[in-house]
């Protein structure tokens, strides 16, 4: 993999890799994780850093949530068709439609959406708010999956992460 490049947006990935290498300096098989992370870090390409240095954009922020959809409003070659519309479940019907298209059984869909509604109520949210695919909601979904082991939370987390990957690819 001598030509491998790992494309990411902002510093989370590099920061997290370094933190893990400090926490686990040696792997189970005795290899130096710090050195491995150092080598891996040389393959990281931060699109956020490149965009900040190369472009002045007319957007509210340089967050991927603003930049990715905003590119569609710019003239070519950087814009026109290069933007990304973020996936968002406006309500439970939209979520159920997506789940059906992804092959979920009807009984599992009903059970999952009932669980989402219950958790939303417990947390003081309405359902559209808990389904809003903001970064903080992605963290909430993952935490709910860890707490409950319910497949709906893993599903929402995976859909959110896949959407981020598509946006990053569009930016690249």
């Amino acid at each position: 993999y001598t030509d491998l490049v790992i494309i990411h947006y902002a510093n989370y990935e590099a920061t997290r890799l370094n933190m893990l290498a400090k926490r686990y300096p040696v792997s189970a098989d005795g290899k130096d994780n710090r050195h491995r992370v150092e080598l891996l870090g040389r393959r990281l390409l931060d699109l956020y850093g490149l965009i900040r240095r190369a472009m002045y954009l007319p957007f509210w922020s340089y967050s991927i949530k603003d930049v990715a959809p905003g590119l569609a409003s710019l003239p070519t070659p950087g814009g026109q068709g290069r933007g990304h519309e973020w996936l968002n479940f406006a309500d439970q019907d939209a979520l159920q439609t997506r789940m059906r298209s992804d092959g979920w059984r009807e009984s599992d869909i009903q059970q999952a959406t009932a669980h989402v509604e219950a958790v939303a109520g417990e947390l003081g949210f309405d359902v559209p708010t808990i389904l809003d695919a903001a970064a903080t909601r992605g963290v909430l979904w993952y935490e709910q999956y860890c707490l409950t082991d319910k497949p709906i939370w893993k599903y929402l987390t995976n859909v959110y992460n896949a959407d981020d990957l598509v946006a990053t690819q569009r930016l690249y």
Side-chain angles (χ1 to χ4, degrees):
Y1 301 106
T2 57
D3 58 349
L4 174 73
V5 176
I6 301 169
I7 300 165
H8 63 100
Y9 198 88
N11 64 355
Y12 176 81
E13 287 78 7
T15 301
R16 190 74 174 157
L17 282 171
N18 286 319
M19 186 204 74
L20 289 170
K22 286 178 185 172
R23 184 180 294 170
Y24 307 103
V26 179
S27 67
D29 60 358
K31 294 187 177 164
D32 181 359
N33 281 335
R34 292 169 300 195
H35 179 67
R36 294 163 84 181
V37 166
E38 179 184 325
L39 294 175
L40 186 62
R42 294 179 192 164
R43 298 182 178 279
L44 296 175
L45 174 61
D46 179 8
L47 293 181
Y48 172 82
L50 289 175
I51 290 171
R52 285 294 303 217
R53 286 191 301 276
M55 304 169 122
Y56 181 78
L57 298 173
F59 308 138
W60 179 253
S61 79
Y62 280 79
S63 159
I64 193 170
K65 298 292 185 198
D66 290 327
V67 172
L71 288 180
S73 67
L74 298 177
T76 55
Q80 302 286 318
R82 297 293 302 170
H84 176 72
E85 186 174 327
W86 292 105
L87 176 67
N88 195 18
F89 300 115
D91 53 32
Q92 281 199 0
D93 289 340
L95 174 60
Q96 290 173 348
T97 299
R98 172 66 186 256
M99 292 169 77
R100 283 184 194 97
S101 73
D102 287 341
W104 282 59
R105 294 185 317 212
E106 195 61 36
S107 61
D108 293 336
I109 292 171
Q110 297 307 315
Q111 185 179 34
T113 54
H115 178 72
V116 167
E117 190 171 339
V119 169
E122 289 170 17
L123 297 175
F125 292 121
D126 60 8
V127 172
T129 300
I130 205 166
L131 291 178
D132 177 26
T136 54
R137 227 66 86 236
V139 172
L140 171 75
W141 297 339
Y142 181 71
E143 287 176 350
Q144 285 297 314
Y145 175 67
C146 291
L147 290 170
T148 67
D149 202 34
K150 298 283 187 186
I152 184 61
W153 301 115
K154 183 177 181 181
Y155 173 75
L156 287 168
T157 301
N158 288 341
V159 167
Y160 174 83
N161 286 333
D163 200 32
D164 259 4
L165 292 174
V166 170
T168 302
Q169 182 181 26
R170 297 293 305 233
L171 289 176
Y172 181 70

